[in-house]
Amino acid sequence: MDASGGVQRIPHEQWPHEPKFKRVNGWRMHYIDEGAGDPVVLLHGNPAWGFLYRKFVKPLTAAGRRVIVPDMIGFGLSEKPVREQAHSLDGHIANLTSLLRQIDVRGATMVCHDWGGPTGLGFALSNPDRVRALVIMSTWAWPLPPAEFHKRIFPWRMMHAPLVGPYLLGRHNALTGRGMYLSVVDRKKFRAEAQSVYEGILPDPGSRLLTWTWPRWIPLDSSARGFARFEWLERELRKSTFPTLLVWGREDEVFDHATFATRFKELIPHAEGPELVTGRHFLQEDSGEEIAGRINRFLDRIDGRQS
Amino acid sequence: MTQVGVVENAILDGKRKALVLAEDRVGHYPEFREFFVQQFSLDANGLPRPGYVRAPSGMIYALVFIGRSGEPFPDGLEIYALPDALEPLNDADVDADLWALLRWMIAGVGGEWRVEDLDATGRLYQLSVTESA
């Protein structure tokens, strides 16, 4: 079956990549696949898409690596289901698993950010024969406790509350616009080069469903959906022997490094870092090239090559 | 404060139902589901008729409650404007009406959910409907 769905290239000089599509787990997933060498899989979260990694592709491919950047189902150029019930953490892990098996990714470095964390780590821990290393940025992989930010009514829980979420994040596209803007350091640069791209990729209220659905999957107590999967993630991550690099935004107020990078370090004591860069939650926007360089040097160390 | 009132006998002749907002998981925070159950006596009334409210513009809105097997009722909620059958919606009016409806809902849910926090959230995200809030 042709999975292109008639969607073609984004006419944007910052994203000159050939769009590719696979049908995964019943959905049409967009991804790019550039370069040759050991694969590096770059995983975004809410409400971004592969564009978040636009400054990673060239330095990684220039260093002799294959770069795969999927758009999560519900975001970017991938299919956008119109019912909340279409989304689950397990389903998104299965979506990624389907893609990476179809394109036979082996020896992958999984670069995980935001919801790309629970999904990418879920893939890595259930497919260890296909993964060789982890890079973890501004995310989490345990059921409790949540970030202080995620416990607060204002603004987080109010923003995605019943009916408020579809209104604020759906009708008004609050997360891709103002939300991302507030979560970068250089807001002027973000507004000039990126904000309209993130807003434009989710043009209609119905296309923004996942922006208020993902926040509802963050466990706040033991009754949460996905609680058992997060328990499994934490348990398996403790056993992980993957070489791991932690990279965090110095100014991150959502998953602050003192709490979250420290917790990852406790779960994965052999992890390198945390290496702090300029950045709030969307640290790729402020320090894209720098983080790509850090990933190259990390992988060179694994390979025993000189950077 | 909220400028929204429940309407017991909405007049539907010459009107159409125009879907303006849908919520697939009204019980994500269970107190929201409980608010609608209490407000429209859903435990007793169930599915036979929507709930109707009048919003600040004067438009009547129908609240259609959705049940799903295995989930407490209501699980979902669709909000329909009831304009004159052949007339287009005024998007700004609908937007302001929905905001008023959200404020009415939050006031009714109560507890830790405060209208002040909804207004602050709207202002944080620079919604024009919060300018008079």
Side-chain angles (χ1 to χ4, degrees):
Chain A
M1 174 187 287
D2 174 18
S4 73
V7 176
Q8 299 302 321
R9 184 188 303 276
I10 288 283
H12 201 292
E13 66 277 6
Q14 296 184 87
W15 192 251
H17 308 297
E18 180 70 25
K20 296 178 183 294
F21 295 88
K22 290 289 184 190
R23 186 148 297 272
V24 299
N25 201 27
W27 306 104
R28 179 178 56 82
M29 178 176 272
H30 168 258
Y31 66 104
I32 64 165
D33 191 344
E34 301 277 344
D38 289 334
V40 179
V41 181
L42 304 173
L43 298 170
H44 70 85
N46 186 17
W49 62 291
F51 187 75
L52 182 66
Y53 288 104
R54 63 195 178 280
K55 293 176 182 171
F56 288 56
V57 178
K58 190 172 178 181
L60 291 172
T61 55
R65 310 191 196 285
R66 177 186 179 193
V67 175
I68 298 157
V69 192
D71 289 348
M72 188 178 280
I73 295 299
F75 285 136
L77 291 171
S78 290
E79 184 172 351
K80 300 178 182 73
V82 296
R83 301 294 292 276
E84 176 163 328
Q85 287 74 14
H87 294 292
S88 69
L89 175 53
D90 284 358
H92 278 277
I93 296 171
N95 296 341
L96 181 62
T97 300
S98 175
L99 174 71
L100 298 182
R101 285 182 183 166
Q102 285 186 64
I103 60 177
D104 198 23
V105 165
R106 295 176 186 277
T109 298
M110 307 298 292
V111 179
C112 303
H113 176 254
D114 191 78
W115 277 100
T119 53
L121 296 172
F123 169 79
L125 296 168
S126 57
N127 295 269
D129 54 323
R130 291 181 180 271
V131 174
R132 72 160 177 157
L134 305 174
V135 177
I136 298 174
M137 307 185 291
S138 195
T139 186
W140 86 114
W142 48 85
L144 294 173
E148 284 301 313
F149 178 81
H150 293 141
K151 290 195 286 190
R152 292 185 206 130
I153 295 273
F154 170 75
W156 181 252
R157 290 171 65 200
M158 185 66 81
M159 186 175 71
H160 67 261
L163 289 173
V164 181
Y167 178 86
L168 188 62
L169 279 61
R171 283 180 71 91
H172 289 279
N173 207 7
L175 207 54
T176 58
R178 181 85 170 152
M180 289 189 79
Y181 173 84
L182 293 172
S183 295
V184 300
V185 172
D186 190 341
R187 291 168 175 167
K188 185 176 178 184
K189 184 180 77 159
F190 176 77
R191 177 161 286 169
E193 73 176 45
Q195 184 170 339
S196 64
V197 179
Y198 291 115
E199 290 175 325
I201 205 79
L202 300 175
D204 308 303
S207 68
R208 301 166 190 150
L209 170 68
L210 193 51
T211 69
W212 70 85
T213 299
W214 265 142
R216 297 177 178 181
W217 276 85
I218 296 173
L220 297 179
D221 58 43
S222 60
S223 69
R225 297 175 290 177
F227 190 88
R229 180 59 57 212
F230 277 100
E231 285 186 316
W232 174 84
L233 280 170
E234 180 177 19
R235 189 167 61 244
E236 295 302 310
L237 207 53
R238 283 189 187 280
K239 295 187 252 175
S240 161
T241 58
F242 296 125
T244 299
L245 173 65
L246 306 177
V247 182
W248 235 262
R250 208 175 279 111
E251 295 85 358
D252 192 339
E253 296 146 328
V254 178
F255 297 101
D256 67 281
H257 67 81
T259 304
F260 285 83
T262 301
R263 181 84 182 268
F264 272 111
K265 191 77 175 177
E266 186 263 326
L267 288 176
I268 316 169
H270 64 270
E272 297 184 24
E275 297 186 3
L276 300 182
V277 299
T278 297
R280 287 194 166 90
H281 179 54
F282 296 100
L283 63 166
Q284 298 97 324
E285 287 294 333
D286 287 296
S287 297
E289 296 97 335
E290 181 183 349
I291 299 170
R294 289 173 184 268
I295 293 171
N296 271 331
R297 290 192 288 277
F298 166 63
L299 294 178
D300 283 347
R301 290 195 290 278
I302 294 174
D303 292 338
R305 300 195 316 222
Q306 192 164 8
S307 62
Chain B
M1 178 177 70
T2 57
Q3 303 174 296
V4 170
V6 173
V7 175
E8 293 299 332
N9 296 302
I11 297 171
L12 305 179
D13 289 348
K15 305 290 186 182
R16 78 171 192 279
K17 287 171 62 181
L19 180 65
V20 292
L21 198 67
E23 170 57 67
D24 275 335
R25 191 173 165 81
V26 75
H28 175 70
Y29 295 117
E31 54 269 39
F32 285 70
R33 176 194 290 118
E34 187 59 26
F35 164 72
F36 288 108
V37 168
Q38 295 296 326
Q39 187 67 53
F40 295 100
S41 303
L42 297 178
D43 279 344
N45 295 338
L47 283 169
R49 66 188 293 272
Y52 294 100
V53 295
R54 185 184 305 278
S57 71
M59 178 84 78
I60 304 290
Y61 290 82
L63 277 52
V64 173
F65 300 101
I66 311 295
R68 286 191 182 87
S69 301
E71 300 291 340
F73 177 77
D75 190 39
L77 172 56
E78 295 170 345
I79 300 179
Y80 295 83
L82 301 178
D84 291 340
L86 302 182
E87 289 300 310
L89 293 173
N90 179 316
D91 205 41
D93 282 353
V94 170
D95 212 51
D97 283 348
L98 288 174
W99 183 252
L101 200 149
L102 295 180
R103 298 182 85 236
W104 166 77
M105 174 185 72
I106 292 294
V109 172
E112 63 182 344
W113 298 92
R114 303 184 319 139
V115 174
E116 292 82 356
D117 285 330
L118 176 66
D119 288 342
T121 304
R123 286 193 296 272
L124 178 67
Y125 291 97
Q126 299 181 328
L127 299 189
S128 58
V129 290
T130 62
E131 288 171 2
S132 59

